[in-house]
Amino acid sequence: MAQQRMGWSVWVGVMGAIAALAQPLVAQANGGNVGEWASGRVGEVDEWMGGRVDELEQPTLLSTPLLIHPSTLDPAAAVDEGMTQIAQATVQITGVRVESTEAGLQVVLETAAGELSAPATRSLGNALIIDIPNAVLALPDGGEFQQASSTAGIAFISVTGLPDNQVRVSITGNDAPPSVEVSPAAQGLTLAVTLGLATEAEAPEEAIQLVVTATRTEEELQNVPRSVTVITQEDIEQQTRFSQDMGDILSQLVPGFSAPTSRTNTFGQTLRGREISVLIDGIPQNSNLGSVPAALTTIDPRSVERIEVVRGPNAIYGGQATGGSINIITRQPDASPVSQTIDIGGSAAFSEAFLTGDGFGYNALYSVSAATETASLLGSLSYTSRGVYYDAEGDRIPSDLTDAETDEVNLLIRLGGELSPTQRLNFTFNHFSQIQNVSYISDPEVDNIAGVQKARAIELPAGTQIIDAPNEASLETTNLTLQYFHDDLLNSEVSGQVFFRNYEFVGGLPTDLREFFGIISQSPGSTQQWGGGFRSIRRLILKTP
């Protein structure tokens, strides 16, 4: 007992010394008025660290919740007294009332004695959370408060007790978290609640993409049981900033599509390593005349609304689709009454001469669109001119096997009209022309040099003529299609299409095949295609009681 008393005396001595050191600071903070601590002096303390502390004046520490009386020197009693003071500082909430107001409602928290501290508020989803510190919930039934609200826009109100002497009020709104105004009172707290307004606009639903290529009928992309890629007009516009070649664009956006070749034909253009079938508005662009296959050199990318790619072999639109099908859908008229678009761009090749004149290229497009409630019109005319290409070392690339030194023109016209609220008719005309006038060809002497050599460009001598053929190589494609739609014919959706396609190619440099076949080849050609289709979707309507 003497040892316990001695240890307690040393602890009190330490506290007295600390208080003595803090006395000047406390005196300064209180304007020099320092009272006695614990109503007296420490008089029963033995020697501490070789000195006496019985003469120390102890300052009064304002707002000190725990008072220790050294005269008693009983630690258990001191702790009990401190806990009693903490309990007296916590306010008990003894009642909760919910009252309707013109602006919404108010929640009144009643206390037996004492004012509640200022709460902290925050929102969580559609709920308003109000946390009140230094408070405990002491309702007559000993439980929590929960009540469904009859006020429009507010769903539920709850008051619960939390650890660490906190009380939480939760007010849940139907569409958004409510707002609150806090009013303290002598014996309670009033929470004036008003309906909340959504602070953020609801995100628009993602547009459902409809595809027709995979099944010949409009289906939601997520419901098509095939590997399908849809390239939007925005994707195409981003790619046309760098290239006007359709093969280049597809190689960037379609998984499994071969690397770009920068050629006027589709030699080497594959999907999953196999041949592709190309369509424009459902019109096949492949033909049996395969000497110059140019299925992708048939339209300016800026005249395209979207591209639907079905990867994998299929026979939906005939043969030649062992790798997949590519359906190019031309632009639709805008919804606005009248709109116009002008697009101008250019390109330049870097070489040793830096921006040489024959390396420049440029492109331009003008389109106009008009629409009424029952009719629509779109006209688009584009022109693209390409210069000579140069490699990374600044050397000229021969033009005879690339699309360099070409001029392209594309004219697109679309007309649409409603015959009735359930019937409409669309007509599309698309004409594409490409002319290539080559001035630099590959030097055949490179083949006689040992080792691996890159192609070397040589300029054609002035006055070079091609016998019995134009000097300029040209490709021309013309597509015409007429489509009919009926949304409710005998409880079915019916559509039909007839089309015509004309494809011609002629001229250009001949191919020297004397080493293999003993001939020099130059093969012009043309082909025409007529076709049509009809499809009907029967709607099944089930009525249940």
Side-chain angles (χ1 to χ4, degrees):
M1 185 65 181
Q3 185 178 359
Q4 180 179 4
R5 178 182 177 88
M6 187 61 182
W8 180 246
S9 299
V10 171
W11 184 85
V12 173
V14 172
M15 293 299 295
I18 295 175
L21 293 175
Q23 181 175 350
L25 298 177
V26 177
Q28 183 178 0
N30 295 328
N33 296 324
V34 181
E36 292 186 352
W37 177 66
S39 302
R41 300 182 178 182
V42 181
E44 298 184 15
V45 183
D46 296 329
E47 290 185 0
W48 173 72
M49 297 293 292
R52 302 286 297 179
V53 296
D54 56 290
E55 298 294 331
L56 293 177
E57 292 278 342
Q58 306 301 331
T60 299
L61 302 180
L62 300 181
S63 303
T64 302
L66 185 61
L67 300 180
I68 304 297
H69 296 275
S71 59
T72 61
L73 297 178
D74 188 351
V79 172
D80 292 341
E81 184 175 353
M83 294 302 296
T84 300
Q85 294 180 27
I86 293 176
Q88 291 175 351
T90 302
V91 180
Q92 294 184 345
I93 298 176
T94 58
V96 179
R97 298 198 322 270
V98 178
E99 302 171 349
S100 298
T101 63
E102 294 182 358
L105 57 82
Q106 65 179 13
V107 179
V108 180
L109 305 180
E110 301 175 341
T111 63
E115 182 178 336
L116 292 171
S117 302
T121 62
R122 60 187 175 92
S123 298
L124 182 63
N126 287 346
L128 173 67
I129 307 298
I130 306 169
D131 290 332
I132 305 173
N134 301 323
V136 294
L137 191 61
L139 300 179
D141 58 1
E144 300 176 344
F145 178 86
Q146 294 182 351
Q147 178 177 314
S149 173
S150 59
T151 302
I154 299 177
F156 193 74
I157 304 166
S158 66
V159 182
T160 58
L162 300 178
D164 301 328
N165 296 325
Q166 291 189 78
V167 173
R168 171 167 296 177
V169 181
S170 299
I171 305 173
T172 304
N174 290 332
D175 301 318
S179 57
V180 66
E181 181 178 348
V182 180
S183 300
Q187 292 186 334
L189 197 68
T190 300
L191 307 174
V193 181
T194 56
L195 301 183
L197 299 176
T199 57
E200 297 182 359
E202 294 184 359
E205 294 184 2
E206 184 178 355
I208 298 176
Q209 290 183 312
L210 298 178
V211 297
V212 299
T213 307
T215 60
R216 281 186 175 266
T217 58
E218 289 188 349
E219 294 284 349
E220 294 183 13
L221 179 60
Q222 60 188 8
N223 296 333
V224 176
R226 298 296 302 268
S227 181
V228 179
T229 298
V230 177
I231 303 174
T232 65
Q233 187 175 9
E234 290 75 13
D235 297 330
I236 297 172
E237 289 176 352
Q238 291 179 356
Q239 293 298 319
T240 53
R241 299 174 185 173
F242 310 101
S243 175
Q244 303 292 326
D245 183 79
M246 186 66 72
D248 289 354
I249 295 174
L250 293 173
S251 67
Q252 297 294 325
L253 300 177
V254 179
F257 198 85
S258 59
T261 61
S262 297
R263 304 177 70 170
T264 58
N265 52 56
T266 55
F267 282 121
Q269 299 276 253
T270 62
L271 183 57
R272 293 183 173 180
R274 299 176 180 271
E275 292 185 354
I276 55 175
S277 172
V278 180
L279 307 99
I280 296 181
D281 292 329
I283 303 175
Q285 302 300 300
N286 302 74
S287 65
N288 294 329
L289 190 62
S291 55
V292 183
L296 292 175
T297 315
T298 51
I299 191 171
D300 190 306
R302 293 170 296 179
S303 298
V304 176
E305 180 85 11
R306 71 179 188 275
I307 303 174
E308 299 175 357
V309 181
V310 180
R311 300 193 296 277
N314 64 83
I316 301 173
Y317 295 92
Q320 300 177 327
T322 55
S325 297
I326 300 174
N327 190 15
I328 301 171
I329 300 171
T330 54
R331 282 185 57 191
Q332 306 290 327
D334 297 334
S336 56
V338 177
S339 64
Q340 301 181 68
T341 302
I342 299 176
D343 183 16
I344 299 175
S347 62
F350 290 84
S351 66
E352 294 180 357
F354 187 68
L355 298 180
T356 56
D358 58 0
F360 278 102
Y362 50 90
N363 58 82
L365 175 141
Y366 173 76
S367 68
V368 58
S369 173
T372 65
E373 293 182 356
T374 59
S376 61
L377 164 68
L378 171 70
S380 175
L381 178 63
S382 64
Y383 174 75
T384 301
S385 178
R386 297 184 179 90
V388 175
Y389 294 160
Y390 291 82
D391 63 18
E393 297 178 346
D395 297 329
R396 192 188 305 270
I397 298 175
S399 303
D400 48 342
L401 295 178
T402 70
D403 60 354
E405 299 186 274
T406 58
D407 295 292
E408 297 176 352
V409 176
N410 188 201
L411 174 63
L412 173 66
I413 298 176
R414 289 190 69 113
L415 302 173
E418 288 189 1
L419 306 179
S420 71
T422 59
Q423 300 180 78
R424 63 187 184 276
L425 200 64
N426 292 336
F427 171 77
T428 305
F429 170 84
N430 179 64
H431 177 76
F432 178 87
S433 173
Q434 182 192 79
I435 297 177
Q436 184 179 39
N437 191 2
V438 174
S439 56
Y440 290 87
I441 64 172
S442 180
D443 186 357
E445 292 298 325
V446 173
D447 296 336
N448 300 324
I449 303 176
V452 178
Q453 304 293 329
K454 71 177 183 179
R456 184 170 60 198
I458 60 173
E459 186 175 6
L460 285 174
T464 300
Q465 296 289 326
I466 300 174
I467 301 174
D468 295 332
N471 293 333
E472 298 175 339
S474 64
L475 298 172
E476 284 192 3
T477 299
T478 302
N479 296 322
L480 295 92
T481 180
L482 183 65
Q483 297 173 301
Y484 170 77
F485 302 91
H486 199 304
D487 296 334
D488 189 9
L489 178 62
L490 301 178
N491 199 33
S492 300
E493 295 180 4
V494 177
S495 62
Q497 178 187 34
V498 293
F499 65 83
F500 169 76
R501 175 179 183 258
N502 181 73
Y503 171 56
E504 296 180 358
F505 57 92
V506 66
L509 293 174
T511 304
D512 189 354
L513 300 176
R514 290 175 294 180
E515 182 180 353
F516 302 99
F517 305 105
I519 63 173
I520 297 177
S521 172
Q522 207 271 9
S523 55
S526 64
T527 179
Q528 291 80 35
Q529 296 171 269
W530 291 87
F534 171 84
R535 57 180 177 267
S536 173
I537 305 176
R538 181 74 175 178
R539 290 192 303 234
L540 179 63
I541 301 176
L542 299 178
K543 294 184 178 180
T544 59

